[in-house]
Every structure is written in C-alpha cells, then in structure tokens.
Amino acid sequence: MKKLPILALVLFLFSCQKSIETANDSLPKFDQAAEEKAIMKVIENETSCFFKGDYECWTKSWSHQPYAMQAWNNDNGTFDAAVGWDKINSQGKGWIEKYYKNGENVIHPKFKRDTIQFKFFNEKTAYLIWRQVNADAKGPKAQVSQETRIMEKEADGWKIVNVTAIWDSKNKITY
C-alpha cells in the first residue's frame, strides 16, 4: 500500500519537472555572441566619440549611475578616478572641451584592440579586458594601454559602468 503514494509522488514530481522545463524552453536563450557584438558596438562608440571630441555622443555609452567609475593613470605616476556619473560627466566634458576642443583637435585618430576577453557574470553584467594601441596624431607612433570595462545591461541596452585605462606614456611604439 505504501508503494502507491510513493509512485504517485514520483509521477507528480516528474510531471512538475517537465512543466518547469517546458516553461524554461519558452524563455529566450542567452545569445552570448549577439551580446558581445552589442557590447563592442557600445565600447567602439564611446571611444570613437571621446577621441573625436563629441561630448553628446560620448555620454550615451555610459551608465548614469552613482556607482559608475572611470580610472586612469597619469604621466607622473599618479592616478585619478571619477566616481559617480556626475564626476565622470564633468571630467569627460572638461577633457573633451580642453584637449579635444570639441572635435577640432584629434589626438588619437586611430586605435585598435587585441586580445579582447569577455566574462559574463549573468545576462546583464559583463567584464572585458584588452590591450589597445592608440595612434598619435603627429606621426607613426602610438601609446599602448591596458583597458578594462564593466558593462551593465539597462532598459535601453548595454552601458559602461566602469572604465579602467592604464597607459604606457613613456614607451611609444610604431603604429
């Protein structure tokens, strides 16, 4: 007599598992290749807009959250960080106006990335790391940087939450 309730329980649990699997099958699958492509489009846009001195374009690639951060090293061996969108925005706008002169002065006309690595922590958070070569406007020389990004998927798409850029300003290479 005890076998019947156990068998009924097993059959019930099995049917529940099938229902869960069927429900999960109807959810869209995570397409990592498509997400990587979407992220790279945002990153390419942010770098291009910044180097071209296009402030309005540049802001669209960023998460405007208080936990966003941008960090970089300085030529003298120190570092700086802008923590929170308000500080990132102020620093970026100031840099674009002062050095890039809103697009009149192109400091790095070309750049290329290699060895890009992705790590998705979930469907809405990704970490990237790569080496970047940043051509100088005045000749065949370039500066190498090691770059990281933390990306977060917001309602309107992927946004940059963190930029860390460490540049070798002393040892230039031929581009």
Side-chain angles (χ1 to χ4, degrees):
M1 288 300 217
K2 290 185 179 183
K3 289 185 179 182
L4 185 57
I6 292 173
L7 180 60
L9 178 62
V10 168
L11 290 173
F12 173 74
L13 292 174
F14 180 75
S15 68
C16 289
Q17 178 64 31
K18 284 295 183 190
S19 296
I20 291 169
E21 288 173 4
T22 303
N24 286 341
D25 287 345
S26 65
L27 296 174
K29 300 280 187 215
F30 180 69
D31 184 347
Q32 184 167 329
E35 299 301 334
E36 287 180 6
K37 186 176 178 181
I39 287 171
M40 288 310 300
K41 185 176 179 182
V42 171
I43 291 171
E44 289 287 330
N45 188 62
E46 188 267 348
T47 304
S48 294
C49 293
F50 190 77
F51 284 170
K52 290 177 186 173
D54 186 340
Y55 168 75
E56 292 299 326
C57 176
W58 172 76
T59 65
K60 293 176 185 172
S61 299
W62 277 89
S63 175
H64 296 187
Q65 299 298 323
Y67 53 81
M69 184 176 104
Q70 184 178 36
W72 62 96
N73 62 312
N74 299 310
D75 290 347
N76 66 4
T78 63
F79 75 94
D80 280 307
V83 179
W85 171 247
D86 291 343
K87 289 184 181 172
I88 294 167
N89 186 41
S90 175
Q91 182 273 338
K93 188 174 194 288
W95 189 275
I96 286 169
E97 290 172 351
K98 181 177 180 179
Y99 296 104
Y100 293 94
K101 306 207 182 299
N102 295 313
E104 292 176 26
N105 186 26
V106 178
I107 299 170
H108 301 290
K110 296 186 286 185
F111 60 91
K112 63 181 176 181
R113 298 182 173 99
D114 59 34
T115 62
I116 299 171
Q117 298 176 60
F118 281 84
K119 168 63 178 164
F120 283 89
F121 293 103
N122 54 48
E123 294 180 5
K124 293 188 173 200
T125 312
Y127 169 80
L128 290 82
I129 186 168
W130 65 81
R131 178 182 174 268
Q132 185 166 299
V133 178
N134 308 283
D136 288 342
K138 296 178 182 173
K141 296 294 182 179
Q143 293 176 290
V144 176
S145 60
Q146 186 65 51
E147 308 266 340
T148 67
R149 301 291 184 275
I150 297 174
M151 305 294 293
E152 184 172 62
K153 195 168 192 180
E154 297 181 352
D156 61 342
W158 288 98
K159 301 293 181 179
I160 297 170
V161 174
N162 178 280
V163 166
T164 302
I166 309 300
W167 287 53
D168 183 350
S169 58
K170 303 288 184 210
N171 302 303
K172 294 189 178 187
I173 65 169
T174 302
Y175 188 79

